Amino acid sequence: MDCILQCIGASSTDNFPDETIENTLIPHDRVKHRPSYWSSGGHDDPDTPETLTYRLNCDMCIVDEIKLQPFKAYFQYGHPIYSSKAVRFRMGHSKLPHGSDSFVTVEDENLMAIADENYVWTYTSPEFPMLQENVLQSFKLPRPVLCIGGIVKVELLGRVQKQEADDRYYICICHAQVRGRSLSPVFMVDTSDPAGYSVLKYLPDAKILRSEDAMLDDGSESLEWHSLVARYRRMRHLAIMNVLLGPEEFMDEDDIIGGVLMDEDDLGGMLEDDPFV
């Protein structure tokens, strides 16, 4: 799964906020017939790097792959692709107060939020070459990495494409993914210790909620629950029909509740003290 929760910032942006890093969260390079991508500022030196910094959806993730798609400027002559020469990845945690590293819409504050002195990097990947192709390119880490702190920095190393209009080098990315899986909330980490230690917390009784369920209001019911109740009611209807019309074989997806196949004894029990009628 893609573990990115939100953007923190980019090292530069050509047209802020129209070509913002937030566009890299959209899995398409066009939205409503308009291009969608992040663009660096232009530079005369092709070796000038750029960075994109993201916060993951939890403080402890196992990351094994990162995917990036360079942008193809279909509106420019020759349809140039603004990839980088290579990429490298860093993972770690923020030293800033919680919430202060969120993406902001003022460029100066954005640059302050991504400053290296605000982070502790506990992992640095090897360099991977990037192809000058407009495809979602996969960069598999040598082995899965435990990202403690939920921060990933993408380092884009070197430039390959000049823009004809100003004869300067740019890097443009239209989509990014950090692939892995979350260990929260069963495992949580506290990185606020003044001595620089990280405290691992193990919460075996914590319930793992899907992100879409966690975003629901307290008084509302999840779509999954509504679907479960609807399937239950259909099962109850089939059970009644079975009693009235005689035994029949009912084997479709409606016979499965919560991933468990229901047999006739289960169906009979469901008719008594039904809480949903």
Side-chain angles (χ1 to χ4, degrees):
M1 61 175 291
D2 184 7
C3 295
I4 295 178
L5 174 65
Q6 63 186 28
C7 303
I8 294 178
S11 52
S12 73
T13 302
D14 189 32
N15 294 302
F16 191 94
D18 293 337
E19 296 173 334
T20 173
I21 180 179
E22 288 207 317
N23 292 336
T24 65
L25 302 185
I26 301 171
H28 309 287
D29 60 2
R30 305 186 197 191
V31 176
K32 296 182 179 179
H33 307 292
R34 295 177 61 86
S36 173
Y37 61 96
W38 162 80
S39 174
S40 72
H43 213 283
D44 296 326
D45 182 1
D47 293 327
T48 303
E50 297 285 348
T51 64
L52 303 173
T53 306
Y54 299 94
R55 173 169 287 283
L56 304 186
N57 55 19
C58 70
D59 287 340
M60 292 193 69
C61 284
I62 295 177
V63 177
D64 58 7
E65 179 184 20
I66 295 173
K67 294 186 175 185
L68 299 169
Q69 182 172 346
F71 179 66
K72 180 178 182 179
Y74 56 86
F75 48 83
Q76 293 182 355
Y77 177 76
H79 301 168
I81 299 173
Y82 291 94
S83 61
S84 63
K85 293 179 182 177
V87 293
R88 183 171 58 208
F89 311 108
R90 297 185 189 272
M91 302 183 199
H93 66 267
S94 172
K95 295 189 287 186
L96 297 171
H98 184 71
S100 60
D101 57 2
S102 298
F103 179 75
V104 290
T105 56
V106 179
E107 189 167 14
D108 289 343
E109 294 180 9
N110 166 65
L111 294 176
M112 291 174 58
I114 66 168
D116 243 8
E117 59 265 25
N118 293 328
Y119 299 90
V120 175
W121 304 115
T122 55
Y123 171 80
T124 301
S125 78
E127 292 185 17
F128 301 88
M130 176 179 275
L131 302 176
Q132 193 175 10
E133 297 180 4
N134 176 229
V135 295
L136 190 61
Q137 300 179 34
S138 173
F139 303 98
K140 281 271 193 182
L141 301 179
R143 60 181 59 86
V145 175
L146 178 59
C147 178
I148 300 176
I151 304 294
V152 172
K153 173 180 280 191
V154 176
E155 297 182 315
L156 302 160
L157 308 174
R159 304 163 186 240
V160 298
Q161 183 64 51
K162 280 186 174 182
Q163 181 176 248
E164 185 177 1
D166 60 4
D167 200 36
R168 307 188 83 192
Y169 289 96
Y170 290 81
I171 300 174
C172 301
I173 300 294
C174 58
H175 188 47
Q177 296 180 5
V178 176
R179 308 291 299 181
R181 61 189 179 92
S182 167
L183 297 181
S184 296
V186 175
F187 290 97
M188 300 185 70
V189 64
D190 182 359
T191 58
S192 62
D193 186 87
Y197 293 102
S198 296
V199 179
L200 177 64
K201 299 179 180 180
Y202 176 50
L203 307 171
D205 296 327
K207 180 181 179 182
I208 299 178
L209 294 176
R210 299 182 309 163
S211 59
E212 56 264 40
D213 289 338
M215 293 172 63
L216 293 171
D217 293 333
D218 291 340
S220 63
E221 297 175 329
S222 71
L223 293 176
E224 183 182 29
W225 175 249
H226 283 295
S227 176
L228 177 62
V229 172
R231 294 203 305 272
Y232 177 93
R233 286 173 173 161
R234 289 197 296 271
M235 283 292 299
R236 184 177 182 277
H237 172 74
L238 291 176
I240 293 173
M241 294 299 294
N242 190 41
V243 171
L244 295 177
L245 302 178
E248 295 287 342
E249 290 290 331
F250 297 106
M251 283 294 294
D252 58 21
E253 65 179 3
D254 291 337
D255 296 329
I256 300 175
I257 293 183
V260 179
L261 184 65
M262 306 296 288
D263 59 24
E264 289 186 12
D265 291 337
D266 295 323
L267 292 174
M270 291 169 68
L271 296 177
E272 301 175 3
D273 300 324
D274 188 349
F276 298 112
V277 295

